Amino acid sequence: MDIKIGEHYIYNLFGFDVHLDTLLTLWISMLIILLFSAFATAKIKIVPNKIQTIFEKIVTLFVGMTSNLGKNQGSSALVLMCIFLLILTSNLLGQVPLKIIHLPEGEFASPNNDLNTTAALAVFVLIYYIYKGIKAKGLSYFKHYYKPVWFMTPFNVLEDFTRPFTLALRLFANIMAGEVMIMVFAGLIASFLTPDVIHNITVNLLFGILPENVVHNIGLFLGSLLPLPAMFFELFVAFIQALVFTFLTNAYLGSAVGDSH
């Protein structure tokens, strides 16, 4: 069983070496979100259809989540919704069997299994909540760096810059670990359930009722279903990680614009 971790298809694009597999899957995720938004808002009705209802529920969720931000609520609700949808869609894209498309190096997977993606999200969150803090309080925003006493300044600055990056590492580690777990599980199944073993099991179960080639194909299909429990668990993790990232980003925003900061 040959499992390679952390390899990407590096391609020179406009003079920059990029992880092309990550870039393509990230664009696919954004395209899915854009299409979903376009379909949901194409024909807005008083009595909404199913896709409009789902979209309105999502918007309502994030408007409610950011109610503590006061006048910063509108734009922040939109930003948080975009972050959540991008992370969730990217995570779920990792469950699609894109690995059957072979690349010279690496493989298609969730873009969040690349630390570059999650670090970029962390940098955006950092810039955004500092910008919102400065917009709300002016230069007084930086007063919290030397509270409660001046010699705490280095630690307060470090805290401000490390909080988003812990989110990035958590998201990257969970998505990478989940995909590795599925690959290992599938590899172990493939190593134990050889074609001969599958053939013998299905023959014994079906008592020779069906032709041999049909029995063999049924066995292969049943063997492919064995990693499903791990995949369903990853669907749960995909949602939870998107939610955690978004909730904590909202908490950082609240801290930046709040009076107690």
Side-chain angles (χ1 to χ4, degrees):
M1 182 173 60
D2 184 19
I3 296 177
K4 297 180 180 179
I5 307 299
E7 286 193 355
H8 295 278
Y9 180 28
I10 299 176
Y11 184 81
N12 188 276
L13 186 66
F14 304 119
F16 296 96
D17 289 334
V18 299
H19 292 174
L20 189 61
D21 52 330
T22 299
L23 198 60
L24 289 175
T25 50
L26 193 58
W27 283 346
I28 292 172
S29 298
M30 290 188 288
L31 180 61
I32 292 171
I33 295 170
L34 287 173
L35 290 175
F36 169 67
S37 302
F39 282 124
T41 58
K43 295 180 180 179
I44 297 178
K45 302 177 181 178
I46 297 177
V47 180
N49 55 28
K50 291 182 180 180
I51 189 169
Q52 183 183 333
T53 300
I54 294 171
F55 192 77
E56 288 179 357
K57 292 291 185 183
I58 294 173
V59 173
T60 302
L61 170 67
F62 286 96
V63 169
M65 182 192 301
T66 54
S67 59
N68 63 317
L69 299 180
K71 62 182 180 181
N72 296 287
Q73 180 183 16
S75 59
S76 297
L78 178 61
V79 168
L80 289 176
M81 184 177 72
C82 291
I83 289 175
F84 174 79
L85 290 176
L86 180 61
I87 294 176
L88 179 61
T89 307
S90 298
N91 290 350
L92 294 178
L93 195 62
Q95 304 305 310
V96 179
L98 297 175
K99 296 178 177 63
I100 61 175
I101 303 174
H102 296 289
L103 298 174
E105 294 179 278
E107 61 186 9
F108 286 118
S110 168
N112 288 331
N113 82 345
D114 189 338
L115 190 56
N116 292 288
T117 304
T118 57
L121 286 170
V123 170
F124 173 79
V125 168
L126 174 65
I127 294 172
Y128 185 71
Y129 81 69
I130 289 179
Y131 160 73
K132 281 294 185 179
I134 295 174
K135 186 178 179 180
K137 303 176 182 178
L139 295 179
S140 298
Y141 168 80
F142 297 102
K143 287 182 179 180
H144 76 279
Y145 284 144
Y146 52 84
K147 293 180 180 179
V149 288
W150 66 268
F151 58 79
M152 291 294 294
T153 300
F155 302 102
N156 290 332
V157 172
L158 186 63
E159 179 189 18
D160 231 8
F161 282 82
T162 55
R163 288 187 303 184
F165 289 100
T166 59
L167 293 180
L169 290 174
R170 183 188 293 110
L171 177 60
F172 161 74
N174 278 280
I175 300 305
M176 172 65 80
E179 295 194 352
V180 170
M181 180 179 68
I182 291 173
M183 285 192 296
V184 170
F185 194 31
L188 288 172
I189 291 171
S191 64
F192 286 110
L193 293 180
T194 62
D196 290 337
V197 172
I198 292 173
H199 178 267
N200 293 333
I201 292 173
T202 49
V203 165
N204 292 331
L205 289 175
L206 297 174
F207 303 101
I209 297 173
L210 298 176
E212 184 174 345
N213 62 328
V214 175
V215 170
H216 181 70
N217 290 334
I218 291 174
L220 290 176
F221 172 73
L222 293 176
S224 67
L225 297 179
L226 292 177
L228 282 180
M231 295 180 70
F232 282 127
F233 177 73
E234 275 307 296
L235 293 178
F236 173 74
V237 171
F239 179 79
I240 291 299
Q241 287 303 313
L243 209 56
V244 167
F245 195 105
T246 309
F247 277 174
L248 289 179
T249 300
N250 182 53
Y252 298 158
L253 277 170
S255 175
V257 303
D259 294 332
S260 60
H261 194 276

